[in-house]
Amino acid sequence: MSPTDELVKQWESEQACLREQVVEEDTEDWQKRPDFSGLERVAGLDLSFIKGDDINACSQLVVLSYPDLEVLYGDSQMVTLTAPYMAGFLAFRETPFFLEALQRLEREKPALVPQVLFVDGNGLFHYREFGLACHLGVLSGLPCVGVAKNLLQVQGVNKNEEHQSQISALQKGGDSFPLRATSGKVLGKALRSSDKSTKPVYVSVGHKITLDTAVHLTHSCCRFRVPEPIRQADYRSREYLRAHFPVAETGSTESKDKDYMPKVSDAAKGTLKISNFVVQYCKMQCKRCVCSCVCAFLSF
């Protein structure tokens, strides 16, 4: 078995273990109120890269007030990603830095710790029903929502004529339709997030929230097509790179779908070795798992 195959097998095992801990119910009082009264702070997390560089990135956490969606806190940090990019395992590259950002916030300004997280990616709408939003939600212990800008074609959900027809039937902001797997299970929803945008976003449960609540909350956080917590995180991470690397172009945040898939760096090709990140990841026994799964930066 090659080093790459060993890593994939290890990551699949860890995802399966953590998947058992995903809570697909509304656990917070504010989630059960029609106007989300009691919700005061929402956060977005994202990574942006210098174009052509899939190793060095700006990790961004933004906390916004709710329902006004005004920025309360921002944290921009340059990070070096050591785990290789492989489709379906994005969380192993990004989650450690998002957890570090949340931990810094908890230490420095605990009154601003968010009540719910938004990430640019998928949750249960994933190859193994455990995407970035699930991973971050379970390890942080916070409610988390995945919002993807592009459709992940998985488990029988395809970008075909039927899908396009369903999109055309979305008449106004807040309209949605289910993303149903071949098994019949609903993995997420396509949401027309704004009256001004006919292109939907794809919402799925990450952790500690129902799909209907996730969709309703996402719509309530949209001034434009992309929900404001994610939009602000993306904007601020790009601006940080432009300010600190003015001669370099900033690329989009690392894609969660096939439309933009960064290549693994040359150093990671061929004789791919398990990186220091993975070694550290493997040394820590997950306190929340019943099996011998391991988790990174688990101190919440």
Side-chain angles (χ1 to χ4, degrees):
M1 183 180 293
S2 71
T4 304
D5 291 338
E6 289 180 1
L7 192 55
V8 167
K9 185 176 180 181
Q10 173 194 321
W11 283 356
E12 285 179 342
S13 175
E14 292 174 16
Q15 284 182 333
C17 177
L18 292 173
R19 172 66 181 87
E20 296 177 2
Q21 298 171 54
V22 172
V23 177
E24 301 177 50
E25 302 295 331
D26 291 331
T27 60
E28 313 303 308
D29 289 341
W30 60 262
Q31 295 169 329
K32 301 165 187 176
R33 301 179 184 125
D35 60 352
F36 297 132
S37 61
L39 176 61
E40 299 178 346
R41 298 173 305 282
V42 298
L45 299 106
D46 204 4
L47 285 181
S48 285
F49 294 79
I50 297 171
K51 193 171 183 180
D53 183 348
D54 63 351
I55 300 298
N56 299 294
C58 177
S59 172
Q60 183 72 47
L61 165 65
V62 178
V63 180
L64 281 66
S65 63
Y66 186 90
D68 296 333
L69 302 176
E70 300 298 329
V71 175
L72 301 174
Y73 173 89
D75 179 275
S76 306
Q77 296 285 331
M78 286 302 297
V79 298
T80 301
L81 287 75
T82 53
Y85 176 83
M86 286 186 278
F89 300 101
L90 180 71
F92 291 91
R93 275 170 69 83
E94 298 192 355
T95 300
F97 305 111
F98 294 161
L99 290 174
E100 285 185 332
L102 289 168
Q103 290 168 348
R104 278 193 299 273
L105 172 58
E106 187 174 34
R107 288 194 305 269
E108 297 169 8
K109 295 191 176 181
L112 294 180
V113 170
Q115 294 160 278
V116 62
L117 309 175
F118 283 88
V119 294
D120 180 7
N122 295 297
L124 293 179
F125 186 44
H126 178 265
Y127 305 98
R128 288 166 295 281
E129 298 183 20
F130 195 77
L132 173 62
C134 297
H135 208 128
L136 180 60
V138 168
L139 294 188
S140 70
L142 295 171
C144 193
V145 179
V147 183
K149 295 188 287 289
N150 296 289
L151 179 69
L152 180 67
Q153 300 188 70
V154 63
Q155 295 198 39
V157 179
N158 297 301
K159 197 173 184 178
N160 51 25
E161 289 185 12
E162 180 184 2
H163 184 77
Q164 294 300 326
S165 176
Q166 289 175 306
I167 290 175
S168 298
L170 300 176
Q171 297 297 308
K172 63 184 184 305
D175 288 352
S176 65
F177 63 84
L179 302 169
R180 200 177 301 275
T182 305
S183 65
K185 181 175 182 178
V186 175
L187 300 177
K189 284 190 175 183
L191 168 69
R192 180 168 175 173
S193 52
S194 167
D195 290 336
K196 298 177 182 179
S197 177
T198 58
K199 190 175 181 181
V201 292
Y202 299 95
V203 181
S204 56
V205 168
H207 186 51
K208 290 187 174 180
I209 197 166
T210 61
L211 181 56
D212 286 344
T213 299
V215 170
H216 183 194
L217 180 61
T218 299
H219 180 233
S220 75
C221 287
C222 287
R223 290 175 173 169
F224 305 97
R225 178 184 172 229
V226 176
E228 200 65 11
I230 294 174
R231 195 180 77 87
Q232 284 291 336
D234 176 62
Y235 170 77
R236 287 167 179 265
S237 59
R238 290 170 186 258
E239 286 301 301
Y240 183 92
L241 291 178
R242 290 190 184 101
H244 291 80
F245 304 93
V247 297
E249 290 186 61
T250 59
S252 342
T253 53
E254 187 170 45
S255 178
K256 284 75 177 172
D257 62 82
K258 69 175 186 177
D259 293 333
Y260 176 81
M261 191 174 291
K263 297 178 181 178
V264 175
S265 65
D266 291 337
K269 293 179 180 178
T271 59
L272 177 66
K273 297 181 180 180
I274 297 179
S275 64
N276 290 335
F277 159 73
V278 179
V279 171
Q280 181 178 5
Y281 198 94
C282 293
K283 284 181 179 178
M284 301 180 67
Q285 175 128 8
C286 176
K287 298 176 183 177
R288 294 192 177 110
C289 290
V290 294
C291 61
S292 58
C293 171
V294 289
C295 305
F297 303 98
L298 190 60
S299 63
F300 281 86

